[in-house]
């Protein structure tokens, strides 16, 4: 189990809405290691613009695991998705995801599927959208399997997409895709918005889960607002989850303060809940 | 205390994201009265396109109070706000709000200020944005006071705006405006996202509060998901709140089912919590 922080690679445009540590990778990795993090999750747009060997070596130098590469900004900054009504847009979304799978493979990481799945729209029927998503997920899982990269489907609040909002909906997709490399990840910010009971939902769908995002209910660092992280993290431990925990939060009041605030709140809880299994 | 449902007047464009009952007003009012609602909140864009006398008489015919008129779609559909960097946009936002105050006055209703307040932007300093908001709020409160229309400032999640997200921030604004017609409203969907503890926040800021929006944590009808409405409504009662409760929810699975689902869940709780004071 590793406590991780999201880091934007320098090809991602700096913006207030970006939920990751930003700036030169050397500095981001150095800062996060010095705050006490065990690993990072990368938010990447164009892996081809990056020196992969440099990224790997900088992470190693700072003793940080790279556990996941996010694909969200391919949608966020370019508007590409697997269920876009235009075929050329869908193809480009898949091509770029495969590039990110290659990058993740070189780092020993997995990838996630967030908003890049797209949404229901007026030009396509619900069934067409779902079939396009399943086809893309199968294609990417086959590709991921060859590269030893797992694909983690993320549920997202209806405030950001109308497609796959709950763990129940994600589990249905995972069963339809039916591939050993196509799994689930849980983001507690989204769970707080979309699930009847966060802990019950974790228990019910834990068997599919390979990654976790942590944020408080106001999407600031855990401990800033009202979510009960001891209860939530204990539920993950009870379910036998020993994967990674990564913050995905607004960098408020500053990225340094958000990163320090998150670890100050989470590390004592993780030590208490996971005990000896903490750094397995 | 009245249980109300949000209704879009026919000048508001029909859209999936609209959180109100839609269609001809005669049908909307008839349906909601027959489901058992006591009142409505109107979502209006161009009051000048409406026959005010017709609206009033249709409401009376169905024994529905019109308790509030929303201004949100002036921002949602036209992009106008009080803190826009362009002066002509700000002026038009205020002019349209005054038109809505006139309309609300004719119906004996109040108005709310949601997303039309605007947001912090790169062209203006935070102080400039706050001052523009305070100036607009004072102007509108003066105008509202003359027409006996109270202005209810609504806190909105950071997912929709970066300006006035918490009740603490709203209370600071209310103190700065310092006008007897400028007050607060609480939306439990936004409170669940932005407050440390919903019930504690209600207790702390109840003295400013004149209106309440209800939605479940997934913004569907109360009872659809996980919020504890008995606990929340009991807190309002404890605080001596006897104002109106109005749903503001996604019309899912259909507006009829959402409206029936909300009242089926809320009416028994309101009867239990408010007892004899239910229809005061």
């Amino acid at each position: 189990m590793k406590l991780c922080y999201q880091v934007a690679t320098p090809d991602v445009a700096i913006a207030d809405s970006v939920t990751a540590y930003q700036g030169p990778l050397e500095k981001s990795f150095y800062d996060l290691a010095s705050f006490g993090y065990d690993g990072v999750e990368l938010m990447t747009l164009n892996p081809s613009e990056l020196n992969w060997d440099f990224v790997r070596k900088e992470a190693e130098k700072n003793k940080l695991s790279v556990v996941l590469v996010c694909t969200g900004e391919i949608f966020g900054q370019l508007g590409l998705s697997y269920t876009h009504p235009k075929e050329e847009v869908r193809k480009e979304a898949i091509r770029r995801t495969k590039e990110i799978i290659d990058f993740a493979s070189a780092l020993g990481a997995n990838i996630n599927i967030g908003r890049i799945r797209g949404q229901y729209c007026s030009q396509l029927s619900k069934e067409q959208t779902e079939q396009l998503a399943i086809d893309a997920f199968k294609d990417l899982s086959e590709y991921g399997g060859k590269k030893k990269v797992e694909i983690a489907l993320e549920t997202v609040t209806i405030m950001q997409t109308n497609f796959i909002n709950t763990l129940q909906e994600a589990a249905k997709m995972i069963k339809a895709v039916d591939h050993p490399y196509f799994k689930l990840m849980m983001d507690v910010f989204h769970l707080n918005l979309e699930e009847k009971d966060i802990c019950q939902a974790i228990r019910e769908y834990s068997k599919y889960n390979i990654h976790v995002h942590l944020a408080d209910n106001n999407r600031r660092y855990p401990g800033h607002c009202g979510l009960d992280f001891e209860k939530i993290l204990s539920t993950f431990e009870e379910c036998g989850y020993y994967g990674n925990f990564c913050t995905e939060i607004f960098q408020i009041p500053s990225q340094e303060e958000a990163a320090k605030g998150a670890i100050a709140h989470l590390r004592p809880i993780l030590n208490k809940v996971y005990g000896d299994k903490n750094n397995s």
Side-chain angles (χ1 to χ4, degrees), chain A residues 118-164:
Chain A
Q119 49 207 317
Y120 294 121
C121 65
S122 58
Q123 297 97 314
L124 301 173
S125 70
K126 280 189 121 178
E127 292 68 27
Q128 284 173 317
T129 299
E130 286 160 15
Q131 194 55 54
L132 285 171
I134 291 168
D135 292 346
F137 295 158
K138 282 185 174 172
D139 184 358
L140 294 169
S141 304
E142 277 299 303
Y143 192 84
K146 285 176 198 153
K147 306 269 178 160
K148 307 285 177 225
V149 172
E150 292 186 308
I151 321 286
L153 180 63
E154 181 173 13
T155 60
V156 173
T157 169
I158 200 166
M159 307 275 285
Q160 295 185 334
T161 181
N162 60 16
F163 185 39
I164 318 175

Side-chain angles (χ1 to χ4, degrees), chain A residues 1-3 36 38 242 267 271 274-280:
Chain A
M1 192 276 299
K2 291 184 173 68
L3 182 56
D38 309 307
Y242 299 107
R267 186 64 87 192
N271 284 344
Y274 277 88
D276 291 344
K277 293 169 264 163
N278 206 4
N279 281 306
S280 64

